[in-house]
Amino acid sequence: KKQGNSYGPENKWVPTKVFEQSGTIYITATYFYSLSNSFNLPHGGLGFKTCEKIEKSFSTVDDRMSSRPSDYTAFEVLPLYIGNASNLTEINTFLRQKIWENYKVAKLTDGPTNEWQEVELGLIDENDSGGQGKTVIRYYPSRQKVIAWSIGQHNHYVNPSGNNDDTDYVQQMVDSLKFD
């Protein structure tokens, strides 16, 4: 948003875009604005002289994730990992490759329709603090598939209906995942 001679950030709804690459699905915003050439405003804070709209593509998402993997947040992109697994050993291998190296399956709990099982994580080395944030992992035994996504420490997905219970909205997103 431009005010006077400065651009400043403004939160708005942006359409979703989905990319698929090598067994991972990335859910992100269709575009974002990059503010640059910052300067100090007379009343305090920062202003920006330039504002560029950047359309997201798989390469822009991949470049940002590669350059900032440790602080890339779910707010910018949601990676949804899908892998093959026919037993507990294969689920654990998938977890170590895609989620966090120091985790293993602690418990499998049947979902409401017995089509899938909820995977609960446990630390391999109890002295490690492990990863941060909520991760949803489901195992589909009949399809020999495991799916995982991390929403991080904060829920960045807002219910477009205006309902303030965003946790419920994330659960709706998780429950909408189906294998055909």
Side-chain angles (χ1 to χ4, degrees), residues 41-109:
L41 294 169
H43 60 281
L46 281 179
F48 297 89
K49 293 179 183 175
T50 56
C51 177
E52 177 186 6
K53 182 178 182 179
I54 299 175
E55 297 286 336
K56 284 200 177 174
S57 64
F58 180 75
S59 64
T60 60
V61 169
D62 192 45
D63 287 347
R64 299 249 334 220
M65 287 182 69
S66 298
S67 65
R68 303 182 331 165
S70 63
D71 68 345
Y72 207 81
T73 65
F75 182 70
E76 296 181 75
V77 66
L78 171 68
L80 185 69
Y81 304 108
I82 301 171
N84 297 318
S86 60
N87 57 49
L88 194 58
T89 301
E90 291 176 358
I91 297 171
N92 279 320
T93 299
F94 170 83
L95 294 175
R96 284 192 286 282
Q97 290 173 348
K98 298 291 186 181
I99 308 300
W100 292 303
E101 212 172 275
N102 196 32
Y103 277 88
K104 64 181 177 181
V105 175
K107 183 178 175 184
L108 293 171
T109 306

Side-chain angles (χ1 to χ4, degrees), residues 134 155 157 164-172:
K134 181 178 180 184
N155 182 2
Y157 301 95
N164 289 331
D165 187 2
D166 294 334
T167 304
D168 177 57
Y169 184 62
V170 170
Q171 193 60 47
Q172 288 176 44

